[in-house]
Amino acid sequence: MILFIYVFIFLLFLFWALNFLSLPGNWLMLISLGIVDYFSQAIHFGKWYWLGFVFLALASEIVEWVGQYIGGKKYGLSKKGNIAAIVGAIIGSILGVPFFFGFGAFIGALLGAYVGSLGLEYLTEKSWELAHQKAKGAFLGKALGLAAKLGLGIAILSLAIPKLLQSG
């Protein structure tokens, strides 16, 4: 049983790392915790754990996207520019995966948000300075949002791991 728990904890960390790609790593942690909770005779999380898990996962997704949106808005990014930043962040994170042992996805997401919003804002504004200023907001907002999402994922892990180790 103890080997299963350690392998499962490793799997949870892999799911957490998917957050670097702007993928729903926190939700994959919850799904896998739910499967183990349901099928295991030794591991059971109570309703308060589940309320905490779901709250943290919801908050992580909201904070990630709202952070980028507010960052962009603060610097004057348009609605279309924000959409371009989101699409750019997803594309950038996918393209960045092969670099720096997968952590290039984090850099790719930030640069993708910047480049996506810069390109669209330049097409509408025709000014590099203005487009750069707006894209900087998307970059900073994405950085803040991703950092918060990663932190909330760590909070989920800090709730789950001690309980898993207790049951082993």
Side-chain angles (χ1 to χ4, degrees):
M1 181 68 167
I2 194 73
L3 178 63
F4 169 77
I5 290 172
Y6 282 113
V7 170
F8 183 67
I9 289 171
F10 178 74
L11 180 68
L12 290 176
F13 275 102
L14 289 178
F15 286 151
W16 173 79
L18 290 175
N19 289 318
F20 282 102
L21 303 174
S22 291
L23 293 174
N26 293 341
W27 289 106
L28 290 173
M29 286 193 293
L30 262 63
I31 291 168
S32 61
L33 286 166
I35 291 169
V36 167
D37 189 8
Y38 184 77
F39 287 107
S40 171
Q41 305 228 343
I43 302 169
H44 292 290
F45 296 99
K47 68 179 176 185
W48 293 110
Y49 273 91
W50 282 108
L51 282 172
F53 290 154
V54 171
F55 173 77
L56 290 168
L58 279 172
S60 73
E61 295 299 326
I62 292 167
V63 167
E64 180 186 16
W65 297 111
V66 168
Q68 181 176 331
Y69 180 79
I70 289 173
K73 279 295 182 189
K74 182 176 181 182
Y75 285 80
L77 192 63
S78 68
K79 192 175 194 177
K80 288 180 183 177
N82 244 317
I83 292 169
I86 290 169
V87 171
I90 292 169
I91 292 170
S93 68
I94 292 168
L95 294 177
V97 168
F99 303 101
F100 307 115
F101 305 104
F103 289 106
F106 183 72
I107 297 166
L110 297 175
L111 291 176
Y114 177 81
V115 171
S117 59
L118 178 73
L120 194 116
E121 290 296 332
Y122 178 72
L123 288 175
T124 57
E125 299 290 339
K126 304 295 185 211
S127 163
W128 280 113
E129 292 80 24
L130 190 56
H132 165 70
Q133 184 68 17
K134 292 178 177 186
K136 187 167 60 170
F139 177 88
L140 294 172
K142 184 66 177 175
L144 180 65
L146 270 173
K149 182 177 185 178
L150 290 166
L152 290 167
I154 290 292
I156 293 170
L157 288 170
S158 358
L159 284 174
I161 290 173
K163 185 80 168 169
L164 291 168
L165 293 174
Q166 267 181 341
S167 62

